[in-house]
């Protein structure tokens, strides 16, 4: 089964149907419902033996289970259809970009993506770190385990957030933790976005256990640390649109986007994006637009983005940073000065898109908000990303991934029933939020092409989280729904096998006294996979070594290996574009 094998719509498995549903909803929003959508396909995903539309098998094969499970000690499935949702957004992006290219003179294009490509995109920075080496040639691993979730004296699970080390120190001092001890927790807390683990000093967890929720909240309020209680609810706030789009003030109509006549050009060739963004959400949006062919110019402070120094470093730059920002040109500007802001205005005057994920209110303070930049360039698509938009009121919590998971219901939905709810330390909403922002930009470009007017696009981590379908109650998983140990690793049963526990037991020779799990430990993963496959019960080895993706022949077209230019592996562009035949 190819990584790119297509699945017929009438026989599409559940995950493929989810991806197509998400893509259809986003295209309706982009084009106006009901709309005739461009041709796009969500193909199969994975090495031989994986059900093409099996969400969790793809999670297992592509390393998503591995990254998500790092904090809790071993690979674990995301209980909601996260990869399917990501793939649906990718499918919508490919279709919208193809339609935009057609409006610019290209012949009709058909686009195709797959669940594997969606899964690989979500582990981009983790794949880079796993395949890069430090100066001694040692693989750059991520040691330690542990969630950042804390439990109060009244048994409430909470997530805290701050990006300020001074606020961190004051918060813990108020809870009775000595500064030196609190300081030991700062680095693992801040780097959890890149490592997916948070081994906090046990003294910090113990300190929170001695204070009730209200005392912890009071400490947070006193020092600017956001504190969010994690509940069992899996639902997102109602009425959240993935993005909003509003036309720029009336002005002379913008000229059409430049024509694309090169048959080999990518859909966004000839367009320029100016990006002023940090961490993951904003850079992912710029990364996706670059992969679709746009020129992307990053605005960074003098000396460069501080994230360039985040370990592991290879080739003089953080590989986690480079994985999302390579191929972008850089313009350094100090936005706290008039000269720096004027430099941004000059860049924007010649751009098609400006995107940022600044904190609420910063654009207005800098006088680089939509109104100010539309005065410079009326045809501009001005795209802003936030944590919560206006959904949580005028003073929202700090807008980062893990608080968005809590407020968006994913902290409960991504973990199965029977486990305490807690955000995944994999950056699930950051990546999804960046993809949704990129789709909002594409919608804005298409609207500009049709109306001649620039526009303002806005999205948030919370609105992106709401895209992930989830049941009203947390999903219960059986033992066969989890990775199963073999003599030399882990395997994950395919969807068909999970639905036929008696067939699995018969195939592996399990009995009432020797259960499936114990029986599987007697032979290697490859031996069991061959036997299960022969019995018509396809399953997959659970990926626990991301570096092996770069050398696995099944992923040869989907993962680019390290080379002289970029000393780490990274996913290939997640779309294929081909001209439609009459």
């Amino acid at each position: 089964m190819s990584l790119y094998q297509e699945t017929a719509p009438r026989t599409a498995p559940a995950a493929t149907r989810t991806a197509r549903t998400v893509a259809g909803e986003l295209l309706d929003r982009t084009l106006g419902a009901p709309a005739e959508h461009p041709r796009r396909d969500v193909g199969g995903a994975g090495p031989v033996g994986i059900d093409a539309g099996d969400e969790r098998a793809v999670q297992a094969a592509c390393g998503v289970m591995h990254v998500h499970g790092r904090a809790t000690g071993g690979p674990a499935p995301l209980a909601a259809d996260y990869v399917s949702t990501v793939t649906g957004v990718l499918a919508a992006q490919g279709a919208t970009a193809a339609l935009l290219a057609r409006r610019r003179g290209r012949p009709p294009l058909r686009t195709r993506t797959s669940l594997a490509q969606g899964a690989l995109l979500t582990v981009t920075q983790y794949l880079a770190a796993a395949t890069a080496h430090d100066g001694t040639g040692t693989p750059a691993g991520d040691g330690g385990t542990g969630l950042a979730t804390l439990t109060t004296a009244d048994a409430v699970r909470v997530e805290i957030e701050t990006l300020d080390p001074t606020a961190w120190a004051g918060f813990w001092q108020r809870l009775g933790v000595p500064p030196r001890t609190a300081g030991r927790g700062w680095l693992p807390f801040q780097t959890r976005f890149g490592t997916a683990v948070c081994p906090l000093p046990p003294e910090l967890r113990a300190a929170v256990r001695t204070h009730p929720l209200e005392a912890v909240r009071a400490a947070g309020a006193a020092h600017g640390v956001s504190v969010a209680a994690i509940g069992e609810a899996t639902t997102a706030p109602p009425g959240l649109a993935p993005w909003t789009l509003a036309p720029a003030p009336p002005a002379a109509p913008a000229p059409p986007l430049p024509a694309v006549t090169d048959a080999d050009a990518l859909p966004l060739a000839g367009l320029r994006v100016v990006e002023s963004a940090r961490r993951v959400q904003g850079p992912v949006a710029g990364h996706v637009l670059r992969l679709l062919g746009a020129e992307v110019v990053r605005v960074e402070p003098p000396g460069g983005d501080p994230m360039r120094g985040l370990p592991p470093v290879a080739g003089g730059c953080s590989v986690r940073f480079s994985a999302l920002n390579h191929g972008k040109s850089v313009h350094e500007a100090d936005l706290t000065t008039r000269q720096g802001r004027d430099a941004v205005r000059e860049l924007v005057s010649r751009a098609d898109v400006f995107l940022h994920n600044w904190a609420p209110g910063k654009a207005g303070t800098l006088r680089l908000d939509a109104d100010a930049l539309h005065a410079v360039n009326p045809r501009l698509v001005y795209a802003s990303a936030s944590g919560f938009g206006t959904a949580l009121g005028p003073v929202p919590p700090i807008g980062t991934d893990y608080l968005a998971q809590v407020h968006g219901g994913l902290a409960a939905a991504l973990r199965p029933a029977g486990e305490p709810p807690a955000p995944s330390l994999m950056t699930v909403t950051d990546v999804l939020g960046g993809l949704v922002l990129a789709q909002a930009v594409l919608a804005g470009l298409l609207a500009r092409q049709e109306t001649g007017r620039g526009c303002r696009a806005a999205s948030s981590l919370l609105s992106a989280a709401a895209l992930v379908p989830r049941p009203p109650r947390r999903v219960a998983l059986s033992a066969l729904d989890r990775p199963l140990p073999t003599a030399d690793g882990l395997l994950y049963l395919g969807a068909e096998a999970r639905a036929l526990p008696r067939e699995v037991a018969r195939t592996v020779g399990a009995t009432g006294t020797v259960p499936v799990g114990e029986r599987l430990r007697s032979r290697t993963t490859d031996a069991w996979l061959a036997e299960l496959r022969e019995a018509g019960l396809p399953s997959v080895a659970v990926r626990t070594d991301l570096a092996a993706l770069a050398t696995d022949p099944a992923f040869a077209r989907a993962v680019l290996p390290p080379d002289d230019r970029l000393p780490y592996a990274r996913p290939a562009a997640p779309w294929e574009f081909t001209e439609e035949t009459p």
Side-chain angles (χ1 to χ4, degrees):
M1 184 177 294
S2 165
L3 277 165
Y4 297 87
Q5 179 178 336
E6 293 186 47
T7 305
R10 65 179 179 276
T11 60
T16 305
R17 292 197 301 272
T18 296
R20 289 175 176 164
T21 297
V22 170
E25 291 174 353
L26 296 186
L27 286 169
D28 280 343
R29 184 167 189 84
T30 299
L31 305 176
E36 182 179 349
H37 298 160
R39 292 287 298 276
R40 81 277 179 198
D41 295 311
V42 179
V48 172
I50 299 179
D51 183 339
D54 186 342
E55 162 83 27
R56 293 182 201 149
V58 173
Q59 290 182 27
C62 297
V64 174
M65 283 191 186
H66 165 62
V67 176
H68 168 62
R70 280 180 182 175
T72 51
L78 293 165
D81 288 346
Y82 174 67
V83 169
S84 307
T85 303
V86 165
T87 306
V89 181
L90 291 174
Q93 288 171 349
T96 307
L99 182 57
L100 191 60
R102 183 175 181 181
R103 302 283 169 83
R104 299 171 64 201
R106 283 288 300 274
L109 294 175
R110 177 174 179 169
T111 181
R112 180 168 59 171
T113 190
S114 72
L115 267 73
Q117 290 161 301
L120 291 169
L121 184 69
T122 70
V123 297
T124 295
Q125 63 165 329
Y126 309 105
L127 174 62
T131 53
H133 293 75
D134 63 18
T136 63
T138 304
D142 297 308
T145 60
L147 291 166
T149 304
L150 305 166
T151 304
T152 66
D154 39 1
V156 179
R157 293 172 64 80
V158 297
E159 203 72 18
I160 66 172
E161 186 62 278
T162 179
L163 306 179
D164 181 355
T166 302
W168 171 268
F171 171 81
W172 288 110
Q173 186 171 11
R174 189 177 178 100
L175 295 181
V177 177
R180 185 182 296 272
T181 303
R184 287 193 289 112
W186 176 245
L187 182 61
F189 183 77
Q190 280 300 291
T191 58
R192 73 199 194 282
F193 286 90
T195 62
V197 297
C198 188
L200 290 175
E203 294 92 337
L204 303 190
R205 300 185 187 279
V208 173
R209 284 197 297 268
T210 64
H211 292 81
L213 174 62
E214 288 310 311
V216 176
R217 280 180 167 160
H223 296 280
V225 174
S226 293
V227 177
I230 307 171
E232 290 279 342
T234 63
T235 54
L240 286 176
W243 67 84
T244 59
L245 209 63
L257 295 174
V260 178
T261 56
D262 184 351
D264 295 324
L266 290 168
L268 299 191
L271 303 186
R272 172 178 280 194
V273 177
V274 176
E275 168 196 309
S276 181
R278 291 190 60 189
R279 301 180 78 91
V280 178
Q281 178 191 24
V284 163
H287 178 63
V288 166
L289 296 171
R290 187 192 67 80
L291 291 176
L292 286 168
E295 174 196 1
V296 180
V297 181
R298 271 185 63 79
V299 176
E300 297 187 11
D305 191 314
M307 299 296 286
R308 290 179 176 274
L310 182 70
V313 172
C317 183
S318 165
V319 297
R320 300 186 196 280
F321 177 91
S322 180
L324 299 179
N325 293 291
H326 67 87
K328 303 173 183 177
S329 60
V330 177
H331 184 99
E332 293 187 3
D334 183 353
L335 299 187
T336 66
T337 69
R338 181 174 179 178
Q339 182 179 11
R341 295 191 292 272
D342 285 346
V344 171
R345 293 187 186 97
E346 172 60 23
L347 286 173
V348 167
S349 70
R350 296 175 282 112
D352 299 283
V353 177
F354 177 69
L355 71 85
H356 70 79
N357 64 339
W358 295 333
K362 181 176 179 179
T365 300
L366 295 174
R367 296 183 181 177
L368 295 174
D369 56 8
D371 288 343
L373 294 189
H374 278 138
V376 174
N377 181 353
R379 67 192 183 96
L380 185 72
V381 174
Y382 182 103
S384 61
S386 65
F388 301 100
T390 59
L392 300 186
V395 185
I398 297 171
T400 57
D401 188 299
Y402 308 127
L403 292 191
Q405 289 188 50
V406 173
H407 290 283
L410 287 183
L414 293 177
R415 298 194 183 274
E419 293 182 13
S424 172
L425 289 190
M426 183 176 165
T427 51
V428 295
T429 65
D430 264 336
V431 171
L432 184 55
L435 293 174
V436 170
L437 177 62
Q439 179 62 22
V441 168
L442 292 171
L445 288 169
L446 190 61
R448 187 184 86 175
Q449 184 73 357
E450 295 176 346
T451 66
R453 294 176 65 178
C455 62
R456 175 175 182 170
S459 69
S460 71
L461 296 177
L462 191 65
S463 67
L467 278 179
V468 180
R470 73 290 296 265
R473 292 179 183 154
R474 298 172 67 197
V475 173
L477 299 182
S478 71
L480 297 186
D481 291 318
R482 302 174 186 275
L484 298 167
T486 64
D488 63 348
L490 297 166
L491 67 78
Y492 191 77
L493 298 174
E496 184 177 347
R498 298 197 303 272
L500 299 170
R502 292 182 181 178
E503 291 295 326
V504 172
R506 185 180 302 113
T507 300
V508 304
T511 66
T513 56
V514 183
V516 169
E518 184 174 335
R519 178 65 180 151
L520 287 174
R521 294 177 186 271
S522 66
R523 298 173 62 185
T524 66
T525 301
D526 285 345
W528 283 123
L529 292 177
E531 191 157 336
L532 289 163
R533 196 172 299 129
E534 186 176 349
L537 301 170
S539 300
V540 61
V542 179
R543 179 76 58 181
T544 56
D545 178 8
L546 291 181
L549 284 167
T551 57
D552 188 334
F555 291 88
R557 293 170 60 196
V559 176
L560 304 176
D563 54 39
D564 292 339
R565 185 174 61 92
L566 295 173
Y568 54 85
R570 63 273 183 203
W575 317 271
E576 290 183 332
F577 293 99
T578 55
E579 289 191 11
E580 283 195 13
T581 55

